[in-house]
Amino acid sequence: MTDKIVEAPIETDQRKDPPVAQQLMRADQDRDHIRGGVHTDLRHDSAIKHVTGRADYCDDIPEPVGTLHAYLGLSERAHALIRDLDLSAVETAPGVIGVLRAADIPGVNDVSPTGRNDEPIFAEEKVEFWGQPMFAVVAETRDAARRAAKLAQVIYEDLPHALDPIAAREADMGYVTPPLTLKRGDAKSAMEKAPHVIKAQMKVGGQDHLYLEGHIAFAIPGEDEDVMVHSSTQHPTEAQHMVAHVLGVPSNAVTVNVRRMGGGFGGKETQMNLFCSVAAVAAKKWNRAVKIRPDRDDDMSATGKRHDFVIDYEVGFDDDGRILAVSGDFAARCGFSSDLSGPVTDRALFHADNAYFYPNVLLNSHPIKTNTVSNTAFRGFGGPQGVIAAERIIEEIAYHRGLDSLEVRKRNFYGDKGRDVTPYHQTVEDNVAPRIVDELEASADYQTRLKAVKDWNSKGGIIRKGIALTPVKFGISFTATWYNQAGALLHIYSDGSIHLNHGGTEMGQGLNTKVAQVVSDEFQVDIDKIKITKTTTEKVPNTSATAASSGTDLNGMAALDAATQIRDRLIAFAVERWQTEPAKVHFKANAIEVGSEMIPFADFIREAYMARVHLSAAGFYKTPKIHWDRATGKGRPFYYYAYGAACSEVSVDTLTGEYRVERTDILHDVGKSLNPIIDKGQIEGAFIQGMGWLTTEELWWDDRGQLRTHAPSTYKIPLASDRPRTFNVELANWSENKEKTIKRSKAVGEPPFMLGISVFEALSHAVASVSDYSASPRLDAPATPERVLMAIERLKREA
């Protein structure tokens, strides 16, 4: 499967045993290669800590004497006026220090990430979803605060509520943010002239992030206006700005620290703003450290999720199954405020083509307001909802024309000039989707297995099988162009050890490991010489969220820039010190070669320090070439595309609708991988999470608007037993990014998520067998066993 995995930095302190350290340093010079450079397998730097429980998270930070605990008081109506909020019983409860309401906010009562002023910390006159915070209790213990929060007496005046996009549209709830239209050609005219037209609707469910570590913030007051906030956030800079906004102080008074997160998946990009702000306000009000950590039920009720979509699509195509025109309307359940619904629904349109060329296309987003928690970023950021619409269109054409869906996919791939422009007018310049699919078709033995599946189903048994091979083309970059920048701070100390800090956040994805590999490679030193410290707004300012699969692309390049600056200074020093030429100075494994002399890295750095060479640098990077004009729906929002394909086979019990995934084969394009073993882990995890979104993970609100699937007992993520019985994952080892990304690698966080669609399509294929593949089953997502069974029964009736 892979070459030998290189050990991550060994967790020892060589200062305790100088002789051993010196022996190791001498041994370094005897090796030709460093440990942990780029393009090699290297385990996650915190892997041992993760599995032994020694990794420190926010809740593990020692609490100062006198630490207080906050807890939110949440609404129990989906839409209502607050006629009276009596907190007297709360305030007099045992252990309670005080309460916070909207009037206690010293700055602005808003944490909207888009600046639309539509997301109050505490509701004042009206609540707009079940679970909306109305106040916070601050007590001596978390248990006391939690119990007291339940004692509030609230008198509501109920208002009509709408929970889903269809009901909200009928109630004329309006949009939370302006919609987007993408168009090219004349879809209406081409549709009228098309030999065949299909028009239908698909419902695609949302998804909870269910990160292992829930939301948490820990604020420690400082002197004057200062406050330090430890948090589990993907976006420290935004948390910093929001806390400052809420406190009414400048950003330089707020420091936000993130050592690591226990998962994020987009759910900690904006949602942590609420908790950071509450903790900070309380800390400054009572001048004591304050921690806030909701339990899982309240975490799931009060924070946003993946957007549900209702997609109305129409496709015109010819006798051979080639697409002539596509139109689509993408209505999203956005919740009560804008949050990130604008860019999420935009990206759904960006990926509504997936890997296919639409000669004529018209796509519209509908970011609809609903009386539910505001939905937010989630791995793929709207892209998966667009991709699944494209795959449904392919499936519709295949069943209509009596063709295998893979053949229809191939006939509609992006191609050469004339078939290489997206609906947003970006030219696809690096299309490797056909090669990826062809190679996977062969390695997964798709055609032979397809025949075997059909032969099995022809016997008419209770267990039906299905198989599907689906591709993904995923654009990489923030569509908000200004976020495509990053900074890094690099120090080399006089003993040769290296300190690295960058603006990205580590949430288990291996970002810190990869960035350290980049620096290790640049200086040609073993990776255990490099220490990456917590992400903090004190060291790298104005950082972008670790999101959009861009963490390594951006922060890796910023770290490389910092390393290059120091490297250039060191070369200049060597030229002057040894009276030689730059071409004769080479960085070798843990040493510097100057002419015929080999100087150990630590010794060389010591000499550079004594010569007053500056051994620190701030690196910076901004993604080139990208631009986007939302008003015209045209531009180049993505620097490049990442590609992949998955082939999945399933078995379905037609009496119960239950199913299992028998086998999945994946071939994925990560460019020239920085760390193949970590990339494979990301692909495996993304696939399983994508499969869960489309199969077992169902969000359900009752008629009153209360989320009922608010804990692992009712919300079902995939178990280890749900993984494919045979699971093969390979990287396209021939791939190399055509763009000048970090060491020619490609992003890996989000693109493989869409590969889970192969399971959804395989389920559809199995269901279709009960009517001899005469019609598209039109499964809605998630394809729970209940939905699968209902689709089977419907096709039997219609056959």
Side-chain angles (χ1 to χ4, degrees), residues 353-412:
D353 59 338
N354 193 17
Y356 313 115
F357 175 67
Y358 298 160
N360 300 278
V361 58
L362 176 63
L363 304 171
N364 298 295
S365 73
H366 302 278
I368 296 177
K369 180 173 181 173
T370 55
N371 294 121
T372 53
V373 63
S374 286
N375 284 326
T376 190
F378 199 131
R379 199 175 199 166
F381 205 78
Q385 296 94 316
V387 171
I388 199 170
E391 295 306 323
R392 169 54 56 83
I393 286 171
I394 293 293
E395 181 184 84
E396 292 271 22
I397 295 170
Y399 286 118
H400 186 281
R401 303 310 304 151
L403 297 168
D404 177 40
S405 59
L406 180 57
E407 183 57 36
V408 177
R409 290 183 172 95
K410 289 181 175 182
R411 293 179 185 182
N412 287 286

Side-chain angles (χ1 to χ4, degrees), residues 141 179-181 185 196 271 274 284 308 327 333 381 416-417 547 570 586 588 642 682 755 793:
T141 67
L180 174 68
T181 295
H196 310 282
Q271 300 299 287
L274 166 67
K284 294 303 288 184
D308 313 50
S327 65
R333 183 204 318 247
F381 205 78
D416 297 328
K417 190 171 179 61
L570 293 174
H586 304 285
K588 299 290 187 178
Q682 283 290 291
L755 300 180
E793 294 301 318

Side-chain angles (χ1 to χ4, degrees), residues 595-611:
S596 59
E597 187 176 353
M598 191 75 73
I599 305 107
F601 184 80
D603 294 348
F604 183 86
I605 292 299
R606 181 68 181 175
E607 288 210 38
Y609 163 73
M610 296 298 291

Side-chain angles (χ1 to χ4, degrees), residues 144 148 199 208 230 259 277 292 356 487 497 580 594 601 623 641 670 713 739 794:
K199 188 175 184 179
D208 192 87
H230 299 276
R259 173 59 185 94
S277 297
I292 181 169
Y356 313 115
S497 63
T580 186
V594 183
F601 184 80
T623 308
Y641 296 100
V670 295
S713 58
E739 298 296 346
R794 173 170 49 81

Side-chain angles (χ1 to χ4, degrees), residues 25 29 490-499 519 522-525 529-530 562-563 565-574 577-578 585-588 590-594 598-616:
M25 289 175 64
Q29 319 315 318
L490 188 65
H491 307 310
I492 302 181
Y493 294 103
S494 58
D495 65 352
S497 63
I498 299 173
H499 175 112
V519 175
E522 186 68 7
F523 289 119
Q524 284 297 292
V525 297
K529 301 286 196 302
I530 301 167
Q565 292 178 47
I566 298 175
R567 195 175 191 270
D568 290 345
R569 293 176 203 151
L570 293 174
I571 291 173
F573 159 68
R577 164 69 174 76
W578 278 272
V585 180
H586 304 285
F587 284 73
K588 299 290 187 178
N590 299 294
I592 313 297
E593 183 182 63
V594 183
M598 191 75 73
I599 305 107
F601 184 80
D603 294 348
F604 183 86
I605 292 299
R606 181 68 181 175
E607 288 210 38
Y609 163 73
M610 296 298 291
R612 296 182 295 179
V613 175
H614 185 31
L615 298 175
S616 178

